[in-house]
């Protein structure tokens, strides 16, 4: 595994891990505000349109408890396939509500969507915010898996973007038996999709991302899917790694190295480039019915 990032200066690391600097659409300082405006307006519209088809449920326990939005309009069957979507924002920005608009293209195809929220890294007071976020999202997915068993749902899929892509990597490797999930229920987890995700979090310790989180190198190692040992003989469901064409070289390097790790272990892993997309419009374009990434997701979910 390449660790040449160790030689990066703080300035170089910030450049390599700030995707807004690499977009081809807008000046970097305008990209994030435009994304916030787009996501908030589209999400507000869909939350109003879906009305009774949106419920909020709780999950977890103690400080690891949280809430999850469930999008299940009338056209979605009780036993429909489920997509779990985990939002990004460097573990310190945004909320599940901001990405409600992403439920629409899946709901349109008869797929239920579950969006768990998680406490922002800076809001934890236990000294291990990153590990806590992983555990909290594990509790969320465990609840969805158990509900899938109760409903007779045939398949559960996991989708996450950016920081949510890292969480997808961690959840993909989770041993669900520790959450009292039966083998038959675990087998309902049919596929995972990481959009613009990261898999080795160590370089971020010396970056702008960590100015608020204050994670240690030890924590970064524990939440890096790239560094997690894969249990011999254990077969994971297919993982799809989708990288926007205009993401940073470090995002590309990390994604390719993670694919190599999984393939070497005998687990199916696919690397896909989202053409003419940057770190943020890879999400925004999912509202377009013939979008390349949306089509890819649906083609591997509606099987």
């Amino acid at each position: 595994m390449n660790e040449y990032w160790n030689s990066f200066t703080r300035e170089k690391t910030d450049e390599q891990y700030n995707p807004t600097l690499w977009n081809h659409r807008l000046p970097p300082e305008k990209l994030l505000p435009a994304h916030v405006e787009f996501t908030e307006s589209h999400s507000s519209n869909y939350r109003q349109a879906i009305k009774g088809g949106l419920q909020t449920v709780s999950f977890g326990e103690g400080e690891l408890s949280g809430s999850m939005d469930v999008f299940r309009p009338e056209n979605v069957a009780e036993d429909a396939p489920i997509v779990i979507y985990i939002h990004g924002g460097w573990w310190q920005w945004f909320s599940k509500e901001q990405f409600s608009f992403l439920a629409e293209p899946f709901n349109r195809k008869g797929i239920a969507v579950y969006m768990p929220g998680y406490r922002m890294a800076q809001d934890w007071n236990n000294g291990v915010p990153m590990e806590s976020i992983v555990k909290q999202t594990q509790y969320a997915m465990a609840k969805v898996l158990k509900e899938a068993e109760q409903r007779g749902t045939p398949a559960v899929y996991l989708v996450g973007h950016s920081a949510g892509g890292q969480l997808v990597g961690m959840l993909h490797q989770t041993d669900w038996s520790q959450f009292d999930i039966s083998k038959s229920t675990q087998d309902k987890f049919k596929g995972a999709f990481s959009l613009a995700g990261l898999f080795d979090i160590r370089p971020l310790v010396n970056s702008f991302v960590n100015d608020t989180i204050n994670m240690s190198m030890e924590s970064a190692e524990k939440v890096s899917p790239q560094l997690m040992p894969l249990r011999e003989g254990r077969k994971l469901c297919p993982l799809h790694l989708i990288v926007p064409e205009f993401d940073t070289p470090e995002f590309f390097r990390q994604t390719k190295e993670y694919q190599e790790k999984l393939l070497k272990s005998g687990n199916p892993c696919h690397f896909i480039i989202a053409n003419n997309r940057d770190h943020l419009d890879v999400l925004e374009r999912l509202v377009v019915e013939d979008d390349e990434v949306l089509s890819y997701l649906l083609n591997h979910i509606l099987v």
Side-chain angles (χ1 to χ4, degrees), residues 95-293:
S95 67
K96 58 182 170 58
E97 290 82 6
Q98 187 164 346
F99 297 95
S100 300
F101 77 96
L102 293 173
E104 183 172 13
F106 296 105
N107 285 166
R108 227 174 18 230
K109 296 294 185 179
I111 302 165
V113 177
Y114 289 59
M115 290 194 186
Y118 53 91
R119 190 184 307 174
M120 298 291 95
Q122 65 271 24
D123 296 333
W124 296 88
N125 299 311
N126 58 10
V128 284
M130 296 293 286
E131 295 95 315
S132 300
I133 290 172
V134 170
K135 194 75 171 178
Q136 191 178 25
T137 53
Q138 286 174 328
Y139 269 109
M141 183 161 173
K143 172 154 186 163
V144 177
L145 287 170
K146 288 176 180 177
E147 184 170 320
E149 180 69 33
Q150 293 164 359
R151 288 178 175 274
T153 297
V156 174
Y157 297 89
L158 183 61
V159 181
H161 171 254
S162 194
Q166 171 264 345
L167 291 168
V168 164
M170 297 297 290
L171 295 173
H172 180 239
Q173 290 197 51
T174 294
D175 178 2
W176 294 106
S177 63
Q178 64 183 303
F179 292 91
D180 297 322
I181 306 292
S182 68
K183 179 66 168 64
S184 63
T185 304
Q186 292 179 46
D187 289 344
K188 292 180 180 292
F189 183 16
K190 299 296 188 184
F193 304 83
S194 174
L195 281 66
L198 288 175
F199 308 97
D200 185 350
I201 307 306
R202 293 175 299 171
L204 299 180
V205 173
N206 181 36
S207 79
F208 72 96
V209 176
N210 204 30
D211 289 344
T212 301
I213 300 175
N214 295 315
M215 70 175 145
S216 65
M217 185 60 75
E218 181 183 8
S219 283
E221 290 171 354
K222 287 181 178 177
V223 299
S224 294
Q226 180 70 54
L227 304 181
M228 291 178 66
L230 287 165
R231 197 172 75 212
E232 191 173 348
R234 183 184 175 206
K235 291 301 177 187
L236 301 172
C237 67
L239 176 64
H240 306 261
L241 305 174
I242 302 172
V243 185
E245 180 183 356
F246 304 133
D247 231 332
T248 85
E250 276 293 273
F251 274 79
F252 270 86
R253 177 189 66 81
Q254 284 213 19
T255 306
K256 286 299 293 180
E257 287 190 1
Y258 192 53
Q259 182 198 28
E260 289 168 10
K261 172 188 175 174
L262 288 182
L263 291 177
K264 282 180 181 176
S265 70
N267 284 290
C269 187
H270 309 277
F271 178 89
I272 303 95
I273 296 175
N275 296 310
N276 198 32
R277 297 286 180 270
D278 59 47
H279 194 79
L280 298 180
D281 72 354
V282 71
L283 282 188
E284 296 166 7
R285 294 285 297 173
L286 292 178
V287 299
V288 180
E289 216 161 333
D290 63 351
D291 175 65
E292 173 190 354
V293 177

Side-chain angles (χ1 to χ4, degrees), residues 75-94:
N75 68 302
V76 176
E78 283 297 304
D79 61 351
I82 291 172
V83 163
I84 304 170
Y85 178 77
I86 302 180
H87 74 83
W90 287 130
W91 311 278
Q92 58 194 289
W93 306 324
F94 304 150

